[in-house]
mmCIF file of all heavy atoms in Angstrom:
data_model
loop_
_atom_site.group_PDB
_atom_site.id
_atom_site.type_symbol
_atom_site.label_atom_id
_atom_site.label_comp_id
_atom_site.label_asym_id
_atom_site.label_seq_id
_atom_site.Cartn_x
_atom_site.Cartn_y
_atom_site.Cartn_z
ATOM 1 N N LEU A 1 43.318 60.111 18.288
ATOM 2 C CA LEU A 1 43.226 60.588 19.695
ATOM 3 C C LEU A 1 41.772 60.816 19.980
ATOM 4 O O LEU A 1 41.279 60.527 21.099
ATOM 5 C CB LEU A 1 44.023 61.974 19.886
ATOM 6 C CG LEU A 1 45.535 61.702 19.941
ATOM 7 C CD1 LEU A 1 46.185 62.991 20.004
ATOM 8 C CD2 LEU A 1 45.995 60.694 20.969
ATOM 9 N N GLN A 2 41.068 61.557 18.963
ATOM 10 C CA GLN A 2 39.621 61.723 19.229
ATOM 11 C C GLN A 2 38.802 60.489 19.450
ATOM 12 O O GLN A 2 37.958 60.417 20.345
ATOM 13 C CB GLN A 2 39.047 62.430 18.074
ATOM 14 C CG GLN A 2 39.530 64.026 17.942
ATOM 15 C CD GLN A 2 39.022 64.686 16.776
ATOM 16 O OE1 GLN A 2 38.465 64.111 15.857
ATOM 17 N NE2 GLN A 2 39.273 65.988 16.804
ATOM 18 N N GLN A 3 39.062 59.419 18.762
ATOM 19 C CA GLN A 3 38.435 58.234 18.844
ATOM 20 C C GLN A 3 38.582 57.595 20.270
ATOM 21 O O GLN A 3 37.766 56.901 20.837
ATOM 22 C CB GLN A 3 38.842 57.179 17.862
ATOM 23 C CG GLN A 3 38.383 57.514 16.391
ATOM 24 C CD GLN A 3 39.035 56.624 15.394
ATOM 25 O OE1 GLN A 3 39.918 55.792 15.617
ATOM 26 N NE2 GLN A 3 38.434 56.689 14.137
ATOM 27 N N ARG A 4 39.831 57.804 20.872
ATOM 28 C CA ARG A 4 40.157 57.334 22.177
ATOM 29 C C ARG A 4 39.898 58.396 23.332
ATOM 30 O O ARG A 4 40.171 57.989 24.394
ATOM 31 C CB ARG A 4 41.598 56.844 22.069
ATOM 32 C CG ARG A 4 41.828 55.644 21.299
ATOM 33 C CD ARG A 4 43.378 55.419 20.913
ATOM 34 N NE ARG A 4 43.624 54.172 20.164
ATOM 35 C CZ ARG A 4 43.439 54.114 18.825
ATOM 36 N NH1 ARG A 4 43.005 55.112 18.213
ATOM 37 N NH2 ARG A 4 43.786 52.963 18.330
ATOM 38 N N HIS A 5 39.288 59.490 22.898
ATOM 39 C CA HIS A 5 38.977 60.422 23.901
ATOM 40 C C HIS A 5 40.190 60.957 24.694
ATOM 41 O O HIS A 5 40.228 61.151 25.835
ATOM 42 C CB HIS A 5 37.830 59.969 24.928
ATOM 43 C CG HIS A 5 36.713 59.542 24.249
ATOM 44 N ND1 HIS A 5 35.866 60.272 23.595
ATOM 45 C CD2 HIS A 5 36.219 58.231 24.037
ATOM 46 C CE1 HIS A 5 34.832 59.592 23.063
ATOM 47 N NE2 HIS A 5 35.153 58.315 23.366
ATOM 48 N N LEU A 6 41.196 61.026 23.904
ATOM 49 C CA LEU A 6 42.533 61.570 24.420
ATOM 50 C C LEU A 6 42.760 62.974 23.807
ATOM 51 O O LEU A 6 43.723 63.208 23.008
ATOM 52 C CB LEU A 6 43.748 60.630 24.075
ATOM 53 C CG LEU A 6 43.635 59.301 24.666
ATOM 54 C CD1 LEU A 6 44.675 58.381 24.237
ATOM 55 C CD2 LEU A 6 43.623 59.250 26.233
ATOM 56 N N THR A 7 42.106 63.901 24.211
ATOM 57 C CA THR A 7 41.998 65.218 23.440
ATOM 58 C C THR A 7 43.032 66.297 24.208
ATOM 59 O O THR A 7 43.147 67.363 23.683
ATOM 60 C CB THR A 7 40.654 65.781 23.385
ATOM 61 O OG1 THR A 7 39.962 65.888 24.698
ATOM 62 C CG2 THR A 7 39.751 64.947 22.464
ATOM 63 N N THR A 8 43.566 65.981 25.353
ATOM 64 C CA THR A 8 44.400 66.839 25.939
ATOM 65 C C THR A 8 45.781 66.277 26.077
ATOM 66 O O THR A 8 45.887 64.970 26.014
ATOM 67 C CB THR A 8 43.997 67.234 27.340
ATOM 68 O OG1 THR A 8 44.079 66.048 28.299
ATOM 69 C CG2 THR A 8 42.609 67.813 27.269
ATOM 70 N N TYR A 9 46.821 67.060 26.323
ATOM 71 C CA TYR A 9 48.238 66.502 26.412
ATOM 72 C C TYR A 9 48.274 65.637 27.680
ATOM 73 O O TYR A 9 48.900 64.574 27.643
ATOM 74 C CB TYR A 9 49.237 67.551 26.587
ATOM 75 C CG TYR A 9 50.580 67.126 27.028
ATOM 76 C CD1 TYR A 9 51.416 66.341 26.155
ATOM 77 C CD2 TYR A 9 51.075 67.353 28.296
ATOM 78 C CE1 TYR A 9 52.593 65.881 26.625
ATOM 79 C CE2 TYR A 9 52.265 66.949 28.738
ATOM 80 C CZ TYR A 9 53.029 66.164 27.827
ATOM 81 O OH TYR A 9 54.140 65.623 28.298
ATOM 82 N N ALA A 10 47.538 66.002 28.825
ATOM 83 C CA ALA A 10 47.634 65.313 30.067
ATOM 84 C C ALA A 10 47.024 63.958 29.981
ATOM 85 O O ALA A 10 47.757 62.910 30.457
ATOM 86 C CB ALA A 10 46.936 66.077 31.119
ATOM 87 N N SER A 11 45.940 63.800 29.142
ATOM 88 C CA SER A 11 45.462 62.464 29.004
ATOM 89 C C SER A 11 46.150 61.564 28.081
ATOM 90 O O SER A 11 46.366 60.393 28.331
ATOM 91 C CB SER A 11 43.970 62.581 28.471
ATOM 92 O OG SER A 11 43.916 63.219 27.150
ATOM 93 N N PHE A 12 46.720 62.064 27.096
ATOM 94 C CA PHE A 12 47.683 61.320 26.181
ATOM 95 C C PHE A 12 48.845 60.952 26.864
ATOM 96 O O PHE A 12 49.322 59.798 26.721
ATOM 97 C CB PHE A 12 48.133 62.340 24.890
ATOM 98 C CG PHE A 12 49.231 61.609 24.161
ATOM 99 C CD1 PHE A 12 48.916 60.653 23.244
ATOM 100 C CD2 PHE A 12 50.458 62.050 24.296
ATOM 101 C CE1 PHE A 12 49.938 59.929 22.439
ATOM 102 C CE2 PHE A 12 51.488 61.481 23.465
ATOM 103 C CZ PHE A 12 51.196 60.519 22.626
ATOM 104 N N ALA A 13 49.515 61.977 27.554
ATOM 105 C CA ALA A 13 50.760 61.626 28.268
ATOM 106 C C ALA A 13 50.525 60.382 29.347
ATOM 107 O O ALA A 13 51.403 59.473 29.449
ATOM 108 C CB ALA A 13 51.337 62.769 29.006
ATOM 109 N N ALA A 14 49.445 60.301 30.020
ATOM 110 C CA ALA A 14 49.168 59.404 30.952
ATOM 111 C C ALA A 14 49.057 58.030 30.276
ATOM 112 O O ALA A 14 49.650 57.068 30.649
ATOM 113 C CB ALA A 14 47.929 59.747 31.795
ATOM 114 N N GLN A 15 48.377 57.968 29.111
ATOM 115 C CA GLN A 15 48.278 56.730 28.460
ATOM 116 C C GLN A 15 49.558 56.303 27.849
ATOM 117 O O GLN A 15 50.010 55.163 27.726
ATOM 118 C CB GLN A 15 47.215 56.853 27.326
ATOM 119 C CG GLN A 15 45.775 56.894 27.759
ATOM 120 C CD GLN A 15 45.493 55.674 28.602
ATOM 121 O OE1 GLN A 15 45.748 54.504 28.054
ATOM 122 N NE2 GLN A 15 44.703 55.816 29.548
ATOM 123 N N PHE A 16 50.383 57.315 27.374
ATOM 124 C CA PHE A 16 51.700 56.929 26.675
ATOM 125 C C PHE A 16 52.553 56.298 27.782
ATOM 126 O O PHE A 16 53.339 55.419 27.500
ATOM 127 C CB PHE A 16 52.138 58.221 26.001
ATOM 128 C CG PHE A 16 53.509 57.856 25.296
ATOM 129 C CD1 PHE A 16 53.520 57.760 23.964
ATOM 130 C CD2 PHE A 16 54.774 57.943 25.968
ATOM 131 C CE1 PHE A 16 54.628 57.437 23.276
ATOM 132 C CE2 PHE A 16 55.881 57.770 25.291
ATOM 133 C CZ PHE A 16 55.914 57.483 23.888
ATOM 134 N N GLU A 17 52.552 57.028 28.887
ATOM 135 C CA GLU A 17 53.382 56.522 29.975
ATOM 136 C C GLU A 17 53.134 55.035 30.464
ATOM 137 O O GLU A 17 54.010 54.311 30.591
ATOM 138 C CB GLU A 17 53.462 57.535 31.098
ATOM 139 C CG GLU A 17 54.279 58.821 30.681
ATOM 140 C CD GLU A 17 54.147 59.956 31.678
ATOM 141 O OE1 GLU A 17 53.728 59.643 32.784
ATOM 142 O OE2 GLU A 17 54.371 61.039 31.355
ATOM 143 N N ARG A 18 51.779 54.846 30.475
ATOM 144 C CA ARG A 18 51.319 53.544 30.849
ATOM 145 C C ARG A 18 51.773 52.520 29.766
ATOM 146 O O ARG A 18 52.261 51.354 30.060
ATOM 147 C CB ARG A 18 49.869 53.425 30.964
ATOM 148 C CG ARG A 18 49.314 53.843 32.292
ATOM 149 C CD ARG A 18 47.842 53.640 32.433
ATOM 150 N NE ARG A 18 47.343 54.762 33.320
ATOM 151 C CZ ARG A 18 46.376 55.539 32.868
ATOM 152 N NH1 ARG A 18 45.655 55.306 31.817
ATOM 153 N NH2 ARG A 18 45.875 56.518 33.652
ATOM 154 N N ALA A 19 51.642 52.836 28.528
ATOM 155 C CA ALA A 19 51.995 51.983 27.379
ATOM 156 C C ALA A 19 53.601 51.780 27.461
ATOM 157 O O ALA A 19 54.070 50.687 27.175
ATOM 158 C CB ALA A 19 51.604 52.568 26.077
ATOM 159 N N ALA A 20 54.357 52.786 27.820
ATOM 160 C CA ALA A 20 55.786 52.649 27.910
ATOM 161 C C ALA A 20 56.206 51.612 29.000
ATOM 162 O O ALA A 20 57.038 50.742 28.655
ATOM 163 C CB ALA A 20 56.447 54.005 28.272
ATOM 164 N N VAL A 21 55.402 51.755 29.990
ATOM 165 C CA VAL A 21 55.739 50.652 31.132
ATOM 166 C C VAL A 21 55.363 49.288 30.772
ATOM 167 O O VAL A 21 56.215 48.354 30.990
ATOM 168 C CB VAL A 21 54.965 51.097 32.449
ATOM 169 C CG1 VAL A 21 54.950 49.926 33.465
ATOM 170 C CG2 VAL A 21 55.583 52.294 33.032
ATOM 171 N N GLU A 22 54.224 49.134 30.085
ATOM 172 C CA GLU A 22 53.920 47.735 29.527
ATOM 173 C C GLU A 22 54.836 47.317 28.569
ATOM 174 O O GLU A 22 55.282 46.087 28.436
ATOM 175 C CB GLU A 22 52.486 47.892 28.997
ATOM 176 C CG GLU A 22 51.438 48.046 29.874
ATOM 177 C CD GLU A 22 50.079 48.251 29.398
ATOM 178 O OE1 GLU A 22 49.871 47.961 28.092
ATOM 179 O OE2 GLU A 22 49.102 48.694 30.037
ATOM 180 N N LEU A 23 55.254 48.144 27.644
ATOM 181 C CA LEU A 23 56.379 47.790 26.623
ATOM 182 C C LEU A 23 57.629 47.354 27.276
ATOM 183 O O LEU A 23 58.279 46.381 26.920
ATOM 184 C CB LEU A 23 56.616 48.975 25.581
ATOM 185 C CG LEU A 23 57.685 48.618 24.616
ATOM 186 C CD1 LEU A 23 57.162 47.545 23.675
ATOM 187 C CD2 LEU A 23 57.932 49.950 23.833
ATOM 188 N N ALA A 24 58.072 48.084 28.389
ATOM 189 C CA ALA A 24 59.336 47.766 29.100
ATOM 190 C C ALA A 24 59.237 46.399 29.622
ATOM 191 O O ALA A 24 60.214 45.578 29.580
ATOM 192 C CB ALA A 24 59.610 48.820 30.084
ATOM 193 N N GLU A 25 58.050 46.062 30.193
ATOM 194 C CA GLU A 25 57.891 44.720 30.838
ATOM 195 C C GLU A 25 57.790 43.541 29.775
ATOM 196 O O GLU A 25 58.584 42.703 29.956
ATOM 197 C CB GLU A 25 56.547 44.716 31.683
ATOM 198 C CG GLU A 25 56.573 45.553 32.901
ATOM 199 C CD GLU A 25 55.305 45.746 33.668
ATOM 200 O OE1 GLU A 25 54.308 45.235 33.105
ATOM 201 O OE2 GLU A 25 55.254 46.378 34.701
ATOM 202 N N ARG A 26 57.176 43.922 28.675
ATOM 203 C CA ARG A 26 57.008 42.917 27.671
ATOM 204 C C ARG A 26 58.411 42.678 26.942
ATOM 205 O O ARG A 26 58.849 41.514 26.716
ATOM 206 C CB ARG A 26 56.038 43.397 26.521
ATOM 207 C CG ARG A 26 55.798 42.320 25.492
ATOM 208 C CD ARG A 26 54.722 42.838 24.540
ATOM 209 N NE ARG A 26 55.247 43.775 23.545
ATOM 210 C CZ ARG A 26 54.640 44.890 23.266
ATOM 211 N NH1 ARG A 26 53.480 45.105 23.708
ATOM 212 N NH2 ARG A 26 55.194 45.731 22.485
ATOM 213 N N GLU A 27 59.148 43.660 26.786
ATOM 214 C CA GLU A 27 60.464 43.686 26.064
ATOM 215 C C GLU A 27 61.582 43.458 27.097
ATOM 216 O O GLU A 27 62.758 43.164 26.435
ATOM 217 C CB GLU A 27 60.809 44.923 25.337
ATOM 218 C CG GLU A 27 59.692 45.225 24.337
ATOM 219 C CD GLU A 27 59.749 44.295 23.023
ATOM 220 O OE1 GLU A 27 60.939 43.758 22.654
ATOM 221 O OE2 GLU A 27 58.785 43.839 22.438
ATOM 222 N N GLN A 28 61.379 43.350 28.405
ATOM 223 C CA GLN A 28 62.365 43.176 29.338
ATOM 224 C C GLN A 28 63.511 44.226 29.172
ATOM 225 O O GLN A 28 64.602 43.843 29.138
ATOM 226 C CB GLN A 28 62.839 41.848 29.373
ATOM 227 C CG GLN A 28 61.724 40.768 29.791
ATOM 228 C CD GLN A 28 62.297 39.364 29.716
ATOM 229 O OE1 GLN A 28 63.409 39.100 29.225
ATOM 230 N NE2 GLN A 28 61.470 38.422 30.417
ATOM 231 N N ASP A 29 63.113 45.425 28.961
ATOM 232 C CA ASP A 29 63.952 46.619 28.742
ATOM 233 C C ASP A 29 63.542 47.835 29.605
ATOM 234 O O ASP A 29 62.623 48.620 29.225
ATOM 235 C CB ASP A 29 63.923 47.024 27.266
ATOM 236 C CG ASP A 29 64.891 48.080 26.918
ATOM 237 O OD1 ASP A 29 65.606 48.620 27.863
ATOM 238 O OD2 ASP A 29 65.220 48.231 25.641
ATOM 239 N N PRO A 30 64.024 47.752 30.895
ATOM 240 C CA PRO A 30 63.607 48.841 31.759
ATOM 241 C C PRO A 30 63.777 50.227 31.328
ATOM 242 O O PRO A 30 62.943 51.133 31.755
ATOM 243 C CB PRO A 30 64.522 48.597 32.991
ATOM 244 C CG PRO A 30 65.237 47.368 32.879
ATOM 245 C CD PRO A 30 65.113 46.949 31.356
ATOM 246 N N ARG A 31 64.638 50.535 30.496
ATOM 247 C CA ARG A 31 64.801 51.858 30.042
ATOM 248 C C ARG A 31 63.604 52.472 29.214
ATOM 249 O O ARG A 31 63.242 53.602 29.276
ATOM 250 C CB ARG A 31 66.097 52.065 29.246
ATOM 251 C CG ARG A 31 65.928 52.203 27.867
ATOM 252 C CD ARG A 31 67.301 52.104 27.086
ATOM 253 N NE ARG A 31 67.039 51.255 25.888
ATOM 254 C CZ ARG A 31 66.318 51.635 24.819
ATOM 255 N NH1 ARG A 31 65.957 52.865 24.777
ATOM 256 N NH2 ARG A 31 66.122 50.834 23.802
ATOM 257 N N LEU A 32 62.841 51.616 28.631
ATOM 258 C CA LEU A 32 61.608 51.941 27.945
ATOM 259 C C LEU A 32 60.567 52.561 28.813
ATOM 260 O O LEU A 32 59.826 53.401 28.326
ATOM 261 C CB LEU A 32 61.097 50.826 27.188
ATOM 262 C CG LEU A 32 61.974 50.193 26.007
ATOM 263 C CD1 LEU A 32 61.430 48.930 25.419
ATOM 264 C CD2 LEU A 32 62.254 51.328 25.089
ATOM 265 N N ALA A 33 60.572 52.157 30.059
ATOM 266 C CA ALA A 33 59.566 52.656 31.024
ATOM 267 C C ALA A 33 59.668 54.129 31.355
ATOM 268 O O ALA A 33 58.651 54.694 31.704
ATOM 269 C CB ALA A 33 59.689 51.923 32.420
ATOM 270 N N SER A 34 60.779 54.685 30.942
ATOM 271 C CA SER A 34 60.997 56.096 31.187
ATOM 272 C C SER A 34 60.664 56.973 30.026
ATOM 273 O O SER A 34 60.782 58.261 29.913
ATOM 274 C CB SER A 34 62.456 56.473 31.729
ATOM 275 O OG SER A 34 63.265 56.068 30.708
ATOM 276 N N LEU A 35 60.127 56.402 28.880
ATOM 277 C CA LEU A 35 59.831 57.205 27.697
ATOM 278 C C LEU A 35 58.743 58.137 27.987
ATOM 279 O O LEU A 35 57.721 57.804 28.631
ATOM 280 C CB LEU A 35 59.454 56.291 26.546
ATOM 281 C CG LEU A 35 60.549 55.263 25.911
ATOM 282 C CD1 LEU A 35 59.939 54.410 24.975
ATOM 283 C CD2 LEU A 35 61.619 56.219 25.295
ATOM 284 N N GLN A 36 58.909 59.374 27.546
ATOM 285 C CA GLN A 36 57.932 60.434 27.607
ATOM 286 C C GLN A 36 57.876 61.262 26.272
ATOM 287 O O GLN A 36 58.843 61.259 25.537
ATOM 288 C CB GLN A 36 58.208 61.292 28.761
ATOM 289 C CG GLN A 36 58.097 60.658 30.083
ATOM 290 C CD GLN A 36 58.360 61.599 31.227
ATOM 291 O OE1 GLN A 36 58.988 62.641 30.999
ATOM 292 N NE2 GLN A 36 57.986 61.318 32.435
ATOM 293 N N VAL A 37 56.731 61.876 26.078
ATOM 294 C CA VAL A 37 56.608 62.724 24.985
ATOM 295 C C VAL A 37 56.333 64.148 25.598
ATOM 296 O O VAL A 37 55.434 64.340 26.447
ATOM 297 C CB VAL A 37 55.412 62.366 24.085
ATOM 298 C CG1 VAL A 37 55.192 63.454 23.028
ATOM 299 C CG2 VAL A 37 55.651 61.006 23.482
ATOM 300 N N SER A 38 57.069 65.087 25.130
ATOM 301 C CA SER A 38 57.020 66.492 25.529
ATOM 302 C C SER A 38 55.619 67.124 25.066
ATOM 303 O O SER A 38 55.085 66.709 24.030
ATOM 304 C CB SER A 38 58.162 67.403 25.248
ATOM 305 O OG SER A 38 58.105 67.574 23.846
ATOM 306 N N SER A 39 55.170 68.153 25.889
ATOM 307 C CA SER A 39 53.992 68.814 25.368
ATOM 308 C C SER A 39 54.113 69.355 23.967
ATOM 309 O O SER A 39 53.386 69.479 23.043
ATOM 310 C CB SER A 39 53.510 69.807 26.326
ATOM 311 O OG SER A 39 54.469 70.870 26.535
ATOM 312 N N ARG A 40 55.443 69.917 23.723
ATOM 313 C CA ARG A 40 55.753 70.539 22.414
ATOM 314 C C ARG A 40 55.711 69.419 21.306
ATOM 315 O O ARG A 40 55.171 69.672 20.384
ATOM 316 C CB ARG A 40 57.125 71.186 22.527
ATOM 317 C CG ARG A 40 57.536 71.785 21.111
ATOM 318 C CD ARG A 40 56.583 73.021 20.742
ATOM 319 N NE ARG A 40 56.977 73.458 19.386
ATOM 320 C CZ ARG A 40 56.189 73.589 18.395
ATOM 321 N NH1 ARG A 40 54.923 73.425 18.496
ATOM 322 N NH2 ARG A 40 56.724 74.062 17.346
ATOM 323 N N GLN A 41 56.272 68.251 21.581
ATOM 324 C CA GLN A 41 56.220 67.134 20.640
ATOM 325 C C GLN A 41 54.741 66.792 20.306
ATOM 326 O O GLN A 41 54.388 66.592 19.125
ATOM 327 C CB GLN A 41 57.095 66.061 21.017
ATOM 328 C CG GLN A 41 57.285 65.015 20.010
ATOM 329 C CD GLN A 41 57.989 65.492 18.807
ATOM 330 O OE1 GLN A 41 59.021 66.280 18.949
ATOM 331 N NE2 GLN A 41 57.506 65.199 17.542
ATOM 332 N N PHE A 42 54.007 66.681 21.380
ATOM 333 C CA PHE A 42 52.599 66.359 21.278
ATOM 334 C C PHE A 42 51.846 67.280 20.249
ATOM 335 O O PHE A 42 51.193 66.968 19.415
ATOM 336 C CB PHE A 42 51.967 66.340 22.502
ATOM 337 C CG PHE A 42 50.437 66.037 22.589
ATOM 338 C CD1 PHE A 42 49.933 64.789 22.381
ATOM 339 C CD2 PHE A 42 49.669 67.238 22.757
ATOM 340 C CE1 PHE A 42 48.555 64.706 22.255
ATOM 341 C CE2 PHE A 42 48.188 66.996 22.703
ATOM 342 C CZ PHE A 42 47.702 65.776 22.510
ATOM 343 N N ASP A 43 52.158 68.654 20.558
ATOM 344 C CA ASP A 43 51.582 69.673 19.743
ATOM 345 C C ASP A 43 51.998 69.604 18.224
ATOM 346 O O ASP A 43 51.161 69.863 17.257
ATOM 347 C CB ASP A 43 51.844 71.078 20.254
ATOM 348 C CG ASP A 43 51.249 71.385 21.581
ATOM 349 O OD1 ASP A 43 50.212 70.702 21.934
ATOM 350 O OD2 ASP A 43 51.729 72.200 22.240
ATOM 351 N N ARG A 44 53.293 69.194 18.064
ATOM 352 C CA ARG A 44 53.646 68.996 16.738
ATOM 353 C C ARG A 44 53.014 67.924 16.004
ATOM 354 O O ARG A 44 52.667 67.987 14.767
ATOM 355 C CB ARG A 44 55.261 68.759 16.621
ATOM 356 C CG ARG A 44 56.002 70.045 16.877
ATOM 357 C CD ARG A 44 57.503 69.751 16.836
ATOM 358 N NE ARG A 44 58.349 70.917 17.240
ATOM 359 C CZ ARG A 44 59.318 70.910 17.912
ATOM 360 N NH1 ARG A 44 59.840 69.813 18.389
ATOM 361 N NH2 ARG A 44 59.970 72.048 18.296
ATOM 362 N N TRP A 45 52.814 66.735 16.681
ATOM 363 C CA TRP A 45 52.186 65.643 16.111
ATOM 364 C C TRP A 45 50.790 65.976 15.825
ATOM 365 O O TRP A 45 50.263 65.723 14.768
ATOM 366 C CB TRP A 45 52.393 64.425 17.014
ATOM 367 C CG TRP A 45 53.728 63.794 17.190
ATOM 368 C CD1 TRP A 45 54.753 64.119 16.483
ATOM 369 C CD2 TRP A 45 54.118 62.927 18.254
ATOM 370 N NE1 TRP A 45 55.862 63.302 16.874
ATOM 371 C CE2 TRP A 45 55.480 62.624 17.946
ATOM 372 C CE3 TRP A 45 53.420 62.192 19.182
ATOM 373 C CZ2 TRP A 45 56.114 61.740 18.820
ATOM 374 C CZ3 TRP A 45 54.101 61.227 20.010
ATOM 375 C CH2 TRP A 45 55.356 61.079 19.789
#
């Protein structure tokens, strides 16, 4: 996260959600576009 300058939950969540949309398109699985990580899970990680 530090290397990618994603030091806050908000910045991580935005990138994660973009990646989920891209994955959904690539895998042709629309349910993947709604994947999210909660702030609590982010803190645990």
Side-chain angles (χ1 to χ4, degrees):
L1 290 178
Q2 288 176 351
Q3 289 174 350
R4 291 164 176 82
H5 306 287
L6 301 173
T7 56
T8 66
Y9 169 72
S11 62
F12 169 79
Q15 288 296 321
F16 186 91
E17 289 169 16
R18 278 189 214 124
V21 169
E22 290 174 12
L23 178 63
E25 291 171 359
R26 187 178 73 222
E27 298 290 323
Q28 298 179 348
D29 185 349
R31 106 189 137 73
L32 295 174
S34 64
L35 290 175
Q36 295 181 336
V37 172
S38 70
S39 61
R40 178 66 183 129
Q41 188 63 42
F42 174 80
D43 289 342
R44 286 181 182 141
W45 291 349

